Amino acid sequence: MSSVLVTGATGFIASRIIEQLLQKGHHVRGTVRSLGKERELVPLRMLPHAEARLELVEADLLTDGAFDAAAQGCDHVLHTASPYVLDAKDPQRDLVDPAVKGTRNVLEAAARAGVRRVVLTSSMAAVTDEPDGDHVLTEADWNTKSSLERNPYYLSKTLAERAAWDFVAANKPSFDLVVINPFLVIGPSITPGLNTSNQLFVDLLAGTYPGIMNLTWGFVDVRDVARAHVLAMETEGAKGRYLCAGETIGMRSMVQLLDEHGFREGYKLPKLGMDCAMGDFAVRLSSYLQPRGVGSYLRTHIGRVPRYDTSKIQRELGLSFRPVQTSILDTLADLARAGHLPARA
Ligand code: NDP
């Protein structure tokens, strides 16, 4: 069994990765920004086998050399830590710097420690800035449009992944790099916080959306994303990037699913049909009244259906995806359990 460093251990995705690594018998060292955040750490410490095989240490992405000690003695590094917010006050400082400098910091530590493989959590955000008409996205695609003004979170993920591939090309380190590019990750959470992607469901029930908009999402369950990381680490022949996404679902089908499962009563599930040309126009116009990051997301995604080919991850890593309806309903049940859903009227 391996010793594995997982960065950003309290994260939505990282905590599921740690759960699965422990389940498979690996030893895990997880990094957190602060060991003082007891509320976030308790669920990790309570995972099966954590007492015997999970160690938590502090490391900040922005501190040079912060991961050096943590990487010592590890066979593999799974680098998931990166800020995930759509709207940042200062996108360079709050998104790009931690993503890019953090990635370099972690890779330098991995190289110095002589680890065998690094699995990097990138994103579909590094593949495309906006769904692209009929073009079917593959691992060969790169986001070339995002900027500090336009989808800055997407820019941070693109630059971080580029920095990782550049590091490997320039330094020929001991490890090989494998990259996972997940779409919007949903699912039940181990840690108590509300993840940015699961926020979507809270917004749908809270009446944040004035109507059913022409938005289509590519979802992937957090348990499948975690499995992708573990398989990428364990599969000898894993190589390059892997798009990681299940089915797409449009807002209208999603609202219908929630309606059918009792989420209309007492909630503000949208009713007004805005999934038409007039609706798209209204959303585009009103997007300028939204916070900058949310506004640019709406303008680049309204009326567009993402298309992607995930055959590489299915073929090479043997990953299969849960049906999207199962993930959505599991997510809602978990959000209700955690007290994140708005109160029913
Ligand atoms: P979370 O916000 O739950 O986790 C992000 C983690 O990054 C947290 O543990 C956070 O630590 C850590 N982090 C942020 N800034 C710093 C810093 N300066 N120093 C150290 N740690 C830091 O997000 P997710 O689990 O959703 O995301 C994990 C990864 O997956 C990210 O790289 C994200 O870009 C990527 N991703 C996520 C998708 C999604 O839909 N959720 C989709 C595609 C990719 P702390 O708890 O201290 O804040």
Side-chain angles (χ1 to χ4, degrees), residues 8-14 33 37 59-62 80-84 98 121-123 153 157 182-185 195 197:
T10 53
F12 176 50
I13 296 174
R33 247 189 293 191
K37 288 188 185 170
D60 192 298
L61 292 171
L62 288 164
T80 80
S82 205
Y84 176 35
T121 318
S122 184
S123 172
Y153 165 70
K157 295 305 290 180
F183 220 124
L184 212 54
V185 185
N195 186 262
S197 37

